Amino acid sequence: MFNDRSSALELLKTRRSGRPRDLVAPGPGAEELRQILEIAARSPDHGKLQPWRFVHVPRNRREALAALLQRAYRIDNPRPGRLEVEATDRFAMQAPELVVALFSPKPSPKIPLWEQQLSCGAACMNLLLAAHAMGYAAGWVTGWAAYSDIVRDAFGAEPERIAGFIFLGTPGSELEERLRPSYEDVVGEWQG
């Protein structure tokens, strides 16, 4: 059991998302990334189905990812403007490290799809928390590419879906705190 509760709680209170475009080197090294992903896999998983997978996209494959994104984008947008092309390329090249999280549902008579989706989200959150605990920032984003069958097929196959692109690195600027809901707005007491 973790003995330094106050440190763990303070760490959790300081987690913020990093904008992928603002994440710079250094990112986690190979061993750190392995630890981050092993921690991500320690998520609630009713039935031990592992309804998620992670695919690391190393720096030397980012140009190939940019080309894939360009092909996929042009299916629905055959004549993209210069800014659209540049945005797609920037997406692929940002941040030192990139992990594609896949929701990978498993047939089960006992574990509903909803629980499997929650498990995938928990795995992604554990990934973000592990990166934060190691001193990195992470940004979990979706966007059009997460819903593209062409992009999904490059990483998996039906019935899988891209749960998100998780970019990791060092914050290039101070992470912004966003407005959080008030306790009273999100917590109630059952009067049953």
Side-chain angles (χ1 to χ4, degrees), residues 130-137 169-171:
H132 180 61
M134 288 186 174
Y136 299 106
T170 298

Side-chain angles (χ1 to χ4, degrees), residues 18-165:
R19 286 190 185 109
R21 68 176 180 254
D22 296 337
L23 299 178
V24 299
E31 185 53 37
E32 289 174 311
L33 187 59
R34 181 184 177 100
Q35 289 177 356
I36 288 168
L37 295 171
E38 286 175 343
I39 290 167
R42 296 182 60 85
S43 296
D45 178 14
H46 186 191
K48 301 177 189 77
L49 299 177
Q50 292 118 22
W52 27 258
R53 300 188 303 112
F54 301 106
V55 179
H56 175 233
V57 182
R59 286 298 303 167
N60 66 358
R61 301 305 304 149
R62 297 292 191 89
E63 286 185 22
L65 176 61
L68 166 68
L69 294 176
Q70 288 296 336
R71 284 192 309 276
Y73 188 78
R74 289 173 190 268
I75 297 296
D76 293 327
N77 306 282
R79 295 183 182 186
R82 178 183 57 83
L83 295 178
E84 294 168 289
V85 170
E86 290 173 2
T88 301
D89 286 343
R90 265 194 318 274
F91 182 86
M93 304 306 286
Q94 60 193 352
E97 295 298 334
L98 169 58
V99 173
V100 179
L102 292 157
F103 171 54
S104 187
K106 306 296 188 295
S108 172
K110 295 183 178 180
I111 314 303
L113 190 62
W114 170 239
E115 287 188 32
Q116 294 185 48
Q117 290 169 329
L118 291 171
S119 180
C120 180
C124 291
M125 188 66 215
N126 272 358
L127 192 160
L128 299 178
L129 288 171
H132 180 61
M134 288 186 174
Y136 299 106
W140 174 6
V141 297
T142 53
W144 71 266
Y147 304 103
S148 164
D149 289 343
I150 293 169
V151 177
R152 187 268 328 276
D153 290 349
F155 293 97
E158 271 293 335
E160 291 182 313
R161 294 176 56 196
I162 294 176
F165 299 89

Side-chain angles (χ1 to χ4, degrees), residues 170-184:
T170 298
S173 58
E174 187 161 340
L175 298 177
E176 294 178 19
E177 179 60 81
R178 68 172 180 83
L179 184 62
R180 307 288 175 174
S182 72
Y183 181 88
E184 292 76 19

